[in-house]
Each structure stands twice: as C-alpha cells, then as structure tokens.
Amino acid sequence: MGDGRTQKRDDLRFKIANREALMGVILAVFNFIWWFAFAYGLGRKPVEEYTYIFGFPAWFFYSCIVGFLLFSTLVFVMVKLFFLEVPFEDREEDAE
C-alpha cells in the first residue's frame, strides 16, 4: 500500500484530468485571443468606416458571433475526440 500522495500521483485518472484541464485552458486562452484580436483589431476604425455583415459591425460579427460558433464547435469536437470517460470510484474501494 503506500503513501496516499504517491498513489494519487500515479493514478491514471489524475493524469487524464490534468491533460483535459490543460486542453480546456488552452482553448479558453485561444478564445480570448480570437475575441480580442477581432474586437480591438477591427473595432479601432472610426464608426463611419465600419463594414457590416448581416447588420452587425464586422468586428462584432467575427469576435462574438463567429467566435461563439467556432469555439462551441471546437469544444464539442474536443470532448468527443480527446476526453475520456473515467470512473470516479477508487480502485481500492472496489476491491474491498
């Protein structure tokens, strides 16, 4: 049996959870960069120079509408392809 901390570090569930959390953080940072780049990149022009897509300023359309659709799709794909289902129960409890 060993120390509880050593056991947790070796537990595959924690490795999977850490990997999935890191993927989520990377996606969130990429989402913020996307939003910031379009909102402040295209939104710096004077209002008279804005281009409009479906009645929305281009900066808003790309940063908020396209960004939402893109990142919702990326989350769906990430969960379906890369996230694993892991049991919450500890293996030792099952053995007893």
Side-chain angles (χ1 to χ4, degrees):
M1 304 221 91
D3 180 351
R5 288 178 288 171
T6 305
Q7 196 173 18
K8 285 184 180 178
R9 272 187 263 145
D10 295 337
D11 193 343
L12 183 61
R13 295 176 298 168
F14 289 97
K15 291 177 183 177
I16 292 170
N18 287 335
R19 180 181 63 93
E20 291 174 357
L22 180 62
M23 291 170 64
V25 168
I26 289 170
L27 189 62
V29 168
F30 186 52
N31 185 12
F32 179 76
I33 291 169
W34 173 280
W35 172 83
F36 191 86
F38 278 107
Y40 288 99
L42 295 177
R44 289 185 180 210
K45 299 178 186 176
V47 176
E48 297 80 27
E49 296 180 20
Y50 282 176
T51 55
Y52 292 87
I53 301 171
F54 297 118
F56 296 104
W59 67 266
F60 180 84
F61 181 77
Y62 289 117
S63 68
C64 295
I65 297 173
V66 172
F68 171 75
L69 295 173
L70 173 68
F71 285 97
S72 295
T73 304
L74 286 176
V75 167
F76 178 79
V77 169
M78 185 183 302
V79 168
K80 286 293 188 185
L81 296 180
F82 299 110
F83 281 28
L84 303 174
E85 188 171 336
V86 293
F88 290 124
E89 298 84 27
D90 199 6
R91 289 185 200 139
E92 285 184 13
E93 291 174 5
D94 292 341
E96 292 174 4

